Amino acid sequence: EYMGTLISQVATKMAKERNLEQENAAAERGKNLAEALIASTDTDAQRALLKSMCDETKAETGGEPLRASLICFKAVPTIVALAREKPELTAAAAEALAEIAKNERFRDEVGGDAATFAVQVVSAPADTETLRQGLRLVGNLAHFNEANRALMRTAGLSPALGALMAAAPTLAAPIALTLMGALANYVATDDDTLVAETVSLGAENFVFSALCDDDDENDTLAGFA
């Protein structure tokens, strides 16, 4: 019994040390990615770095420390500035920011320029993929974050979402679904004015339409919204 307990304790200690090593490596990787993006001037290399940020933040163990590291080493303002300089990178930039914004502890710090950028993307998207990634960014920034909702509202998100909801019947299904998720996070607030304003822009009809289609996933999101 004593040996069993001892082995269990050693195994637990080794697992913690292994996780700590992985987290430290992820934090270092975040620093390297941020610094590489800041230094790079080649569009293809920048696109590859943005994709690496997206892919690597999804890792089960290292994802969260990688996000925190990217934020600490100023990746967010760099990504926003890059997308404004090179519109062809807008979709990749929005996707990377949406992944980074999943870090709840630092979500306030992802706001600011990123919130304004998100509204610009969904207000005048270059194509459907850019719109989808912009909506993902809106949803993740708004998730349990009143400060970012306020920033996006000030930047004109409500009328932008209103226009998209009016166009909902012509949107591709994945876009409509992402719009539903962004809307649900955006109006998950104690601000009655914001809820009333968004509903007046067409959310009520949009949600009802989603409940009436044949897609169960739409029904789940519509109920949440």
Side-chain angles (χ1 to χ4, degrees):
E1 184 180 347
Y2 170 75
M3 286 302 295
T5 302
L6 186 61
I7 290 169
S8 176
Q9 289 173 343
V10 170
T12 300
K13 184 173 183 292
M14 288 175 65
K16 285 181 179 178
E17 288 174 352
R18 191 161 52 248
N19 285 343
L20 185 59
E21 286 175 6
Q22 290 174 331
E23 288 177 4
N24 288 340
E28 182 66 19
R29 175 63 173 158
K31 173 178 178 289
N32 293 340
L33 283 170
E35 290 177 347
L37 189 64
I38 290 168
S40 178
T41 56
D42 179 77
T43 302
D44 289 338
Q46 291 163 337
R47 194 189 307 278
L49 286 165
L50 290 169
K51 186 175 188 313
S52 292
M53 289 179 185
C54 287
D55 293 344
E56 294 179 36
T57 50
K58 295 172 184 175
E60 187 173 339
T61 302
E64 201 63 8
L66 179 59
R67 290 188 190 101
S69 180
L70 287 168
I71 293 164
C72 290
F73 287 97
K74 310 300 180 187
V76 173
T78 303
I79 294 170
V80 172
L82 181 62
R84 286 176 175 155
E85 178 190 346
K86 298 183 177 181
E88 64 270 29
L89 293 177
T90 300
E95 184 178 9
L97 288 170
E99 290 300 326
I100 295 170
K102 288 180 180 177
N103 184 299
E104 293 185 18
R105 182 180 170 193
F106 292 96
R107 194 170 287 134
D108 281 334
E109 295 180 38
V110 184
D113 283 347
T116 306
F117 172 66
V119 176
Q120 290 171 344
V121 172
V122 301
S123 298
D127 51 52
T128 54
E129 179 58 17
T130 301
L131 174 57
R132 192 170 75 86
Q133 296 303 339
L135 287 168
R136 284 187 65 239
L137 177 56
V138 167
N140 287 353
L141 285 172
H143 190 58
F144 294 121
N145 194 291
E146 205 66 58
N148 284 343
R149 291 188 193 113
L151 283 169
M152 290 189 286
R153 184 185 184 194
T154 301
L157 181 60
S158 292
L161 289 179
L164 287 171
M165 286 183 286
T170 63
L171 292 176
I175 305 296
L177 194 60
T178 311
L179 173 57
M180 185 80 72
L183 177 67
N185 282 325
Y186 183 51
V187 299
T189 175
D190 293 329
D191 186 341
D192 292 339
T193 304
L194 174 59
V195 176
E197 178 183 301
T198 310
V199 169
S200 72
L201 289 167
E204 195 169 21
N205 289 337
F206 175 56
V207 172
F208 182 73
S209 304
L211 282 169
C212 292
D213 67 16
D214 295 325
D215 191 318
D216 289 340
E217 193 172 3
N218 277 2
D219 290 349
T220 302
L221 271 172
F224 178 38

